[in-house]
Amino acid sequence: MKRLLCALALLLSPVLLAAQSPVTVTVSGATVEAVIALPGGIEADLSLEFESVVGLSASSIGLSAEIVNPLDPDLVARLADVDDVTIAGTFPVLIEIEPPATGPLSFTDVVELELHTHNLSYSANSPLRLVKASLGGPFEDITSWSGSGSYRVGGNEGGFSQFLIVADLRPVADVIDLKFARLQDKLDANAADIDAEVLADLQSALDEAWSWRLSLDFVEAAATIANFIKVVESNSGSAIPNVWRSSRDLVNVAGELRGAAGTLRFSLNRASGP
């Protein structure tokens, strides 16, 4: 009887472990598909689409998810504005993507993250946004698009860490100005690693976009940021470093610039109307 019970335990343990895991991850080529199933009927589908990647597997991606307290003071303090930015109450989920530092994962340029959940609803003027932070750091809006079904949102990034869905009620003009400043900061911080001529082209495009913003021509500002992104894309890997790897010893400058510019363009398009 004892042997029979042990055998049953061995047979059932993988099933029990699978039932206890809130995230199921599958990998196909350069794509990660994850199903998140948390207590209380909180569910989501998450996908990661790499432009170019090596060493990708369910274990090397380091993906997890957990329910958090939307009023947790430590978490709230990391939001952009404690009064006008709040964690989505019906989807209080912290998603973490932290590949093991000794793992084989490496990618170039950007990875597109898409999140889909029926726990949230989409509307044309929805304040819901996808935000990202380094471990313990401040959360920043990385939304590059959103849509229905019931709610879908995506962002392009040059790296990983922690992600949340928040309701952002700040005036869009304030958000735009912060995103301009963030993009300028990234350009300044990595200037030494960018070819001088390409850097000048990027700065010129950013300055032009800012001038359009000051004149409240958000359409032209968005179009100029789109040109900024094209300059990054055409020089990625040659004049602009574009590699991220698990050891975290490189800065994926091209990916960081494209991510920051993409979310700025999203906000500029929102400011220009439907």
Side-chain angles (χ1 to χ4, degrees):
M1 176 63 73
K2 185 175 181 180
R3 289 183 178 179
L4 177 60
L5 291 174
C6 289
L8 285 172
L10 288 172
L11 287 170
L12 290 174
S13 58
V15 177
L16 292 174
L17 287 172
Q20 292 168 356
S21 176
V23 182
T24 302
V25 178
T26 59
V27 175
S28 177
T31 302
V32 175
E33 300 286 350
V35 177
I36 299 170
L38 293 162
I42 297 177
E43 299 176 339
D45 298 318
L46 182 146
S47 69
L48 300 171
E49 185 72 34
F50 293 87
E51 293 185 347
S52 177
V53 64
V54 295
L56 179 62
S57 67
S59 59
S60 71
I61 194 65
L63 199 159
S64 62
E66 63 175 320
I67 295 176
V68 295
N69 177 2
L71 301 180
D72 179 346
D74 291 334
L75 203 54
V76 170
R78 296 169 59 193
L79 301 178
D81 187 310
V82 296
D83 295 319
D84 291 330
V85 180
T86 57
I87 298 171
T90 58
F91 191 74
V93 177
L94 179 68
I95 297 169
E96 189 168 294
I97 304 175
E98 275 294 311
T102 56
L105 185 64
S106 175
F107 73 91
T108 59
D109 298 309
V110 297
V111 53
E112 180 177 357
L113 183 151
E114 177 181 340
L115 186 66
H116 168 224
T117 179
H118 290 289
N119 295 112
L120 298 168
S121 298
Y122 174 79
S123 62
N125 296 310
S126 173
L128 297 174
R129 300 289 184 267
L130 174 65
V131 297
K132 172 196 166 186
S134 58
L135 291 175
F139 283 96
E140 297 177 332
D141 182 4
I142 64 165
T143 310
S144 62
W145 64 270
S146 62
S148 59
S150 294
Y151 179 69
R152 294 179 183 272
V153 66
N156 294 320
E157 276 298 304
F160 304 108
S161 206
Q162 297 179 317
F163 302 85
L164 286 168
I165 300 293
V166 301
D168 189 344
L169 300 179
R170 293 175 296 170
V172 67
D174 292 351
V175 173
I176 286 171
D177 291 351
L178 286 171
K179 289 183 178 181
F180 262 111
R182 188 199 312 172
L183 183 53
Q184 182 66 68
D185 287 345
K186 288 183 181 295
L187 198 59
D188 291 343
N190 297 287
D193 295 320
I194 302 173
D195 174 83
E197 185 175 342
V198 174
L199 178 64
D201 290 343
L202 291 172
Q203 187 62 65
S204 178
L206 188 55
D207 291 343
E208 180 185 350
W210 177 247
S211 295
W212 286 120
R213 180 267 174 269
L214 291 178
S215 64
L216 303 183
D217 193 332
F218 298 109
V219 173
E220 287 296 334
T224 307
I225 290 299
N227 290 334
F228 178 101
I229 295 172
K230 289 178 180 178
V231 173
V232 176
E233 290 175 337
S234 62
N235 291 280
S236 180
S238 56
I240 306 175
N242 70 333
V243 177
W244 183 98
R245 57 190 182 192
S246 294
S247 54
R248 276 78 163 177
D249 59 335
L250 298 174
V251 178
N252 182 359
V253 180
E256 293 291 331
L257 291 176
R258 284 176 60 184
T263 191
L264 171 56
R265 180 174 56 176
F266 170 81
S267 293
L268 289 167
N269 285 332
R270 291 300 296 262
S272 65

